[in-house]
Amino acid sequence: MAYRQLSTEERYHIAASRRQGLSIGQIGVELGRHRSTLAREVKRNATPYDSAYRPTMAVEMTNARRSRSRRN
């Protein structure tokens, strides 16, 4: 199975679903992703000052990590 990173649309869907009170498992079923993938995404990209998941910040943080990567 090929590795696919989360898209921007999926990140917005995660944020909207969390605001509605859905669990990570329910969001995973909707998106066709494993719940651990989504849990890692939310934990990794939560804002440091209030631990909220914001998709625009998540995209920026992901791109920053990718640009700092040694694999470039």
Side-chain angles (χ1 to χ4, degrees):
M1 178 188 275
Y3 172 74
R4 290 185 308 126
Q5 292 184 340
L6 289 170
S7 68
T8 304
E9 292 81 21
E10 287 174 318
R11 288 186 169 99
Y12 277 97
H13 184 83
I14 292 168
S17 297
R18 284 180 52 85
R19 278 193 299 271
Q20 292 175 354
L22 294 177
S23 71
I24 295 292
Q26 292 169 328
I27 299 168
V29 170
E30 288 179 358
L31 292 176
R33 298 287 190 140
H34 197 273
R35 65 181 179 271
S36 65
T37 302
L38 301 180
R40 282 193 310 267
E41 167 72 15
V42 170
K43 183 177 178 180
R44 183 182 297 134
N45 293 315
T47 55
Y49 51 88
D50 65 356
S51 299
Y53 181 78
R54 293 183 177 86
T56 53
M57 290 295 294
V59 171
E60 290 175 12
M61 292 165 76
T62 300
N63 290 337
R65 276 193 301 274
R66 192 176 298 140
S67 69
R68 289 190 311 266
S69 166
R70 295 186 71 143
R71 294 177 131 192
N72 292 338

